Amino acid sequence: MLKSLPDLAPTPAVTEPVKWTATWISPTESEEAAAQDERGAYVLRRSFDLPSRPAAATLYATALGVYEVFLNGTRAGDIELAPGSSSYDETLYAQQYDVADLLTPGSNRIDIVLSDGWFRGRNSGAQRRNVWGNTTAALAQLEIDLGSGTSMTLTTDGDWTTLPSPIVRADLMTGQTTDFRIDPDRADPAPVRVGVVTPPIPSQSPAPPVRRIEERKPAALTRLRDGVSILDTGQNLSGWVRLTNLGPAGTETVLEFGEHLDAGGDLTTAHLDMKTPQGGILGFHQTDRVIARNSPGIFEPRHTVHGFRYVRISHPGRELSIDDFTVIVVHSDLDRRGWFTCSDPDLERLHEASLWSFRGNIVDVPTDCPTRERSGWTGDYQVFAPTAAMLYDVHGFSRKWLQSVRDDQCEDGLPAAFSPDSARIRHHPDNPSRVMGGSAGWGDATVLVPRAIYEAYGDMELLAESWDSMTRWVDYTLHLAKTTRHPSRIARSETPLPHEQYIWDAPFHYGEWLEPKRRRADGSLIDPMAENPYAYMSADRSEVGTAFLYRTTETLSRIAQILDRPEAAERYGRIAERVRSAWQTEFLTDEGHTREDTQGAYVRALAFGLVPEPLRQAATERLVQLIHDADDRLGTGFLSSGLLLPVLAENGHTDLAYRLLLRRGTPSWLGMLERGATTVWEDWEGVDEHGIAHESLNHYSKGAVIRFLHEYLVGLRQAPDSASWERFDIEPRPGGGITSAGLHFISPKGRIEVAWEIADGEFHVGFTVPEGTSAKLTLPDGTSAPYTSGTHFASCPVPIFTDDVRSARMM
């Protein structure tokens, strides 16, 4: 069962500009301590007197690191992991707290608990440390209204002191160790260091902060062996565990977090280890430790965060009960906007798994996974952003992340592969990994994400502030297309053919990425990336690159029209047509087949409008044949799996779309659920037939399939060229033996509800149109009509379900 946290009153971010008079202060820290592989937190303290109880008091604070503020021993606000993740050298956000109730007449004390956080702790799969600096620091300003026109201001300055913290190890990736025997009140204070850092001026974040969103009771606690137990939360998630039985003084409890159990029921994280460029293994672990000062005690780490379903607890010499644990779900406090239901419980489970994958990856930025990388990979959010906007209000969340994308973008237009960029390629042009940011489908997020957010919320300001970033990216890719050639093209012709100036084939593309692996005759998997990484990464993927070059350039032309930039609209529109013509010349045969001749290639070609109308049917039929050749299984990967079912439905094969949606085994979406998934996997073989895990088990990109549930099964989609849901279409396409489906969606214009069912020989649909919007309903029998605001009902003869494909056809 899910339970909210009613005792936590939301704390707003900074709501107005602050005139900062405070000074940055840093803990007193020895060089030896700063160089340690594992570092803890510090307490920064100041005592002060008040003549009376304040009428009002507001605290503004931020840090280079992760911080909490305590006034007279009570924590201020409910924001977690403040100030959040950003590209700290360019953008830093501050928080605001109402703290009048925490102050008293007479003596008062303010403590800032400061740890490494993203600023100085481990970042990305490489576990880079000291990315943005070697010194943590805090900035705080307490504005106190004493009434009768009297006020005072307390700021961070040289009067503060440094004290040790019970948090002796704190890292967002690897965990937290707390030794409650350490008491700052009994330690000798040291002066703080003043003005060691010079960060940017803090600003207001457009995004909701990270909070403790839910409390959950664990599903099970199982004894593994003496003094060791396995806690099953029942759900893969992002957060931590609260433990309320620490044992007698000196007792140590160890909690290790992960996504998977091995055949013996023990925790394993081997699938999350990373290979280094030198061929070694970088182990991944998430471990919390707590040493008790007294019993029973409470431990809740707030200077780390974990991606996990299971926890291995080492508790030698004592027993623990499941009631000693509470699971805390932690992520950005986004408002829920979409709820899906249907008659097929497996599809409801798939929707929930996709929802939870997104929830697990919204700890302040849209990450790829909440475990071994935790990086804001551009390609992941490019794939999922339109779906995310149907689940949550991601407007401010996306604006904040796009600021980091712009902060990290190189002068030549190349974006980072992930933002905030822990590799800091903008400052390291000689870094060979920088080319990854320019991969097709990843770098294109600079254009495609702003467009998706504009369509969802009608935010022209976002388009305007991203314009320079978007144009620099497209101009960069066009320059690459004109000046670089893949070796395979050079081997074909030393002199470039005329159309090649619009073929984007170098220097690097991931391509479709993580398509289903093929098997040898003995059943073993073929993994080209593992067997020959160089050959795999250097392959010619110009078909993918040029397809995205067309899509993004054409999208930029449309954005220019929205922003009333006619010259730019004409220029990029003209270039887009030339790119499309080049793609057709290079990659499309007269028979309507693509050079790659893969499922992903046809999905892209059809979805992006690259195939001319006379050849669309032939291209569609070839896609269908490839699916049949694969035993009616999908063969798509990272970039096109979310587009596969819509492409089939839009091109006359809704029946096959439902067959793929409801397929089981591997590869399939429901196959993940069959093998115990509660989130969507990175790899189709996330857990193989032997129960062995591979790659991340919480990766939302393949969860973009649920957009098909919203737009085709339920039938709700925004009308072409509409923004902020001013106009929308309702066109249910029932199939798969499903007898009812519905979507409750809170759009920027108001509540939209669509619900249909098949009953009594009729297809019945009810829907709500918000005030000031309009809708067009198309029933499964093809009849359609416009509607204005209000609640409406319609019906038509029931579709007849065919048993062979469990799908609906009008008879």
Side-chain angles (χ1 to χ4, degrees):
M1 295 292 291
L2 305 183
K3 186 173 74 174
S4 61
L5 296 170
D7 57 317
L8 295 177
T11 302
V14 174
T15 57
E16 59 186 27
V18 182
K19 185 177 181 180
W20 290 99
T21 59
T23 303
W24 282 94
I25 60 173
S26 298
T28 297
E29 182 180 48
S30 68
E31 291 184 7
E32 180 182 5
Q36 291 295 315
D37 189 54
E38 302 291 349
R39 295 180 291 233
Y42 292 91
V43 176
L44 306 177
R45 175 172 292 178
R46 170 75 188 273
S47 297
F48 59 98
D49 292 327
L50 290 179
S52 61
R53 183 176 297 278
T58 302
L59 173 69
Y60 303 95
T62 187
L64 303 179
V66 161
Y67 78 93
E68 299 177 279
V69 179
F70 294 82
L71 284 158
N72 298 317
T74 300
R75 187 173 181 237
D78 64 345
I79 296 176
E80 304 297 344
L81 307 179
S85 177
S86 65
S87 302
Y88 293 97
D89 53 340
E90 298 289 338
T91 302
L92 177 65
Y93 298 111
Q95 290 69 47
Q96 173 181 317
Y97 309 86
D98 181 357
V99 295
D101 291 343
L102 304 183
L103 299 175
T104 62
S107 178
N108 289 264
R109 188 181 76 196
I110 180 171
D111 287 341
I112 299 175
V113 180
L114 178 64
S115 65
D116 285 0
W118 289 277
F119 181 79
R120 198 175 71 160
R122 290 174 176 84
N123 282 264
S124 80
Q127 298 188 28
R128 301 180 183 92
R129 300 170 76 241
N130 304 323
V131 169
W132 281 278
N134 299 312
T135 304
T136 57
L139 184 74
Q141 192 159 308
L142 178 57
E143 305 280 359
I144 305 171
D145 179 1
L146 295 169
S148 302
T150 305
S151 65
M152 65 178 289
T153 300
L154 181 79
T155 67
T156 45
D157 56 22
D159 291 333
W160 289 59
T161 58
T162 304
L163 293 162
S165 167
I167 302 171
V168 297
R169 180 181 65 92
D171 188 272
L172 289 179
M173 294 192 77
T174 61
Q176 177 174 325
T177 297
T178 299
D179 185 345
F180 283 114
R181 297 171 301 179
I182 297 174
D183 184 355
D185 294 339
R186 298 182 180 181
D188 294 328
V192 295
R193 295 178 290 166
V194 178
V196 176
V197 298
T198 55
I201 297 173
S203 60
Q204 174 185 349
S205 172
V210 174
R211 290 193 174 98
R212 290 170 287 166
I213 302 299
E214 293 178 1
E215 292 187 357
R216 297 172 61 93
K217 288 298 180 184
L221 180 68
T222 304
R223 180 183 178 277
L224 187 64
R225 50 186 176 270
D226 287 346
V228 180
S229 302
I230 296 291
L231 187 77
D232 179 3
T233 72
Q235 174 63 56
N236 203 350
L237 54 86
S238 170
W240 53 65
V241 167
R242 180 191 301 142
L243 173 61
T244 55
N245 179 2
L246 304 187
T251 299
E252 181 177 17
T253 307
V254 180
L255 301 94
E256 299 168 273
F257 297 79
E259 301 178 303
H260 191 62
L261 300 181
D262 64 19
D266 200 354
L267 185 77
T268 176
T269 58
H271 62 292
L272 297 173
D273 293 344
M274 298 283 286
K275 292 182 179 179
T276 67
Q278 296 75 30
I281 297 294
L282 182 61
F284 176 78
H285 69 89
Q286 305 170 110
T287 305
D288 290 346
R289 289 181 169 83
V290 56
I291 302 172
R293 180 181 179 183
N294 48 43
S295 184
I298 297 175
F299 172 63
E300 181 176 341
R302 292 195 296 262
H303 287 252
T304 190
V305 66
H306 307 304
F308 70 104
R309 173 175 173 174
Y310 302 101
V311 190
R312 179 169 59 204
I313 305 115
S314 299
H315 48 95
R318 76 185 202 282
E319 295 300 317
L320 290 173
S321 161
I322 194 171
D323 294 331
D324 295 326
F325 298 93
T326 304
V327 181
I328 312 296
V329 181
V330 180
H331 57 69
S332 292
D333 191 10
L334 307 184
D335 288 337
R336 183 79 180 268
R337 286 291 183 260
W339 295 262
F340 167 80
T341 59
C342 83
S343 60
D344 189 324
D346 285 338
L347 293 186
E348 290 188 328
R349 287 175 59 209
L350 174 62
H351 195 275
E352 279 297 294
S354 298
L355 178 89
W356 274 103
S357 271
F358 185 59
R359 293 184 65 182
N361 283 288
I362 52 173
V363 179
D364 209 50
V365 295
T367 55
D368 60 329
C369 65
T371 49
R372 63 180 185 174
E373 291 193 61
R374 309 187 186 195
S375 297
W377 282 89
T378 51
D380 295 68
Y381 202 49
Q382 180 270 125
V383 167
F384 200 79
T387 307
M390 294 296 293
L391 301 173
Y392 285 92
D393 180 355
V394 296
H395 187 190
F397 177 77
S398 302
R399 288 195 67 168
K400 175 185 178 294
W401 179 71
L402 286 168
Q403 179 62 56
S404 277
V405 172
R406 295 192 297 271
D407 287 345
D408 296 334
Q409 191 171 10
C410 299
E411 292 301 320
D412 61 4
L414 173 70
F418 41 79
S419 286
D421 178 26
S422 61
R424 302 188 72 186
I425 65 163
R426 183 176 179 178
H427 303 279
H428 299 285
D430 56 340
N431 186 335
S433 68
R434 72 193 305 269
V435 297
M436 296 191 303
S439 174
W442 276 256
D444 297 290
T446 56
V447 176
L448 301 180
V449 172
R451 174 59 190 264
I453 301 307
Y454 166 77
E455 289 179 347
Y457 304 103
D459 185 356
M460 289 183 62
E461 183 180 341
L462 172 61
L463 294 181
E465 67 189 17
S466 297
W467 177 255
D468 179 64
S469 170
M470 293 187 288
T471 55
R472 285 195 294 125
W473 163 246
V474 171
D475 290 346
Y476 172 79
T477 58
L478 290 168
H479 174 74
L480 288 179
K482 188 174 183 178
T483 60
T484 59
R485 300 174 72 205
H486 192 272
S488 63
R489 229 163 308 286
I490 297 173
R492 179 182 70 183
S493 170
E494 185 175 338
T495 302
L497 301 177
H499 70 277
E500 285 191 41
Q501 64 179 309
Y502 298 108
I503 299 297
W504 183 23
D505 58 3
F508 170 80
H509 295 300
Y510 280 109
E512 181 61 16
W513 191 245
L514 290 180
E515 293 165 300
K517 294 180 176 66
R518 293 180 293 111
R519 290 183 178 273
R520 299 182 178 87
D522 62 2
S524 61
L525 290 174
I526 300 173
D527 187 349
M529 177 63 177
E531 294 174 8
N532 192 337
Y534 177 79
Y536 182 84
M537 299 300 275
S538 61
D540 180 6
R541 297 190 176 88
S542 50
E543 186 173 321
V544 179
T546 308
F548 269 95
L549 179 59
Y550 167 71
R551 185 191 188 199
T552 300
T553 306
E554 192 270 343
T555 300
L556 185 60
S557 175
R558 292 177 180 269
I559 290 172
Q561 293 174 4
I562 294 168
L563 295 176
D564 194 22
R565 297 173 181 260
E567 292 183 3
E570 192 278 331
R571 173 177 179 258
Y572 288 112
R574 183 178 67 253
I575 292 173
E577 287 305 313
R578 292 174 180 172
V579 174
R580 175 158 60 178
S581 177
W583 185 93
Q584 293 170 353
T585 299
E586 186 76 14
F587 306 115
L588 192 64
T589 70
D590 294 340
E591 293 76 31
H593 292 185
T594 79
R595 190 191 71 176
E596 279 195 0
D597 199 36
T598 64
Q599 290 186 31
Y602 289 102
V603 169
R604 259 187 310 279
L606 292 164
F608 293 179
L610 287 161
V611 181
E613 190 60 37
L615 294 178
R616 284 188 68 86
Q617 182 175 350
T620 301
E621 292 305 322
R622 180 56 181 160
L623 169 62
V624 170
Q625 185 60 53
L626 289 172
I627 294 171
H628 290 330
D629 290 347
D631 189 30
D632 280 2
R633 292 196 179 278
L634 57 84
T636 50
F638 189 95
L639 292 176
S640 61
S641 289
L643 301 172
L644 171 61
L645 304 188
V647 161
L648 289 170
E650 287 296 323
N651 290 277
H653 293 275
T654 304
D655 53 351
L656 184 56
Y658 277 106
R659 178 154 178 76
L660 291 177
L661 176 64
L662 296 168
R663 207 73 162 94
R664 298 177 184 276
T666 301
S668 70
W669 288 282
L670 296 188
M672 297 183 189
L673 304 184
E674 282 187 313
R675 293 183 179 176
T678 61
T679 47
V680 178
W681 299 337
E682 179 180 10
D683 196 318
W684 292 113
E685 291 274 356
V687 177
D688 65 24
E689 66 268 29
H690 306 294
I692 299 172
H694 303 272
E695 313 300 335
S696 163
L697 302 184
N698 192 349
H699 239 76
Y700 58 67
S701 58
K702 291 185 172 73
V705 66
I706 65 172
R707 191 176 180 185
F708 180 83
L709 304 181
H710 302 156
E711 296 188 355
Y712 291 86
L713 176 55
V714 175
L716 175 64
R717 72 179 80 173
Q718 193 166 190
D721 298 323
S722 171
S724 191
W725 289 86
E726 292 179 336
R727 293 176 291 108
F728 56 92
D729 296 328
I730 302 170
E731 187 180 354
R733 301 193 190 186
I738 298 160
T739 57
S740 67
L743 187 67
H744 177 181
F745 174 56
I746 303 174
S747 78
K749 294 292 189 288
R751 178 172 55 91
I752 300 173
E753 287 193 87
V754 179
W756 61 258
E757 67 173 349
I758 296 172
D760 302 323
E762 291 279 310
F763 177 90
H764 302 276
V765 62
F767 56 98
T768 300
V769 181
E771 190 71 31
T773 69
S774 62
K776 177 184 176 183
L777 171 68
T778 301
L779 291 168
D781 66 357
T783 60
S784 63
Y787 290 85
T788 57
S789 61
T791 298
H792 310 279
F793 301 92
S795 62
C796 72
V798 66
I800 304 300
F801 293 94
T802 58
D803 293 334
D804 58 340
V805 294
R806 294 185 65 217
S807 62
R809 294 180 185 268
M810 291 305 302
M811 302 298 289

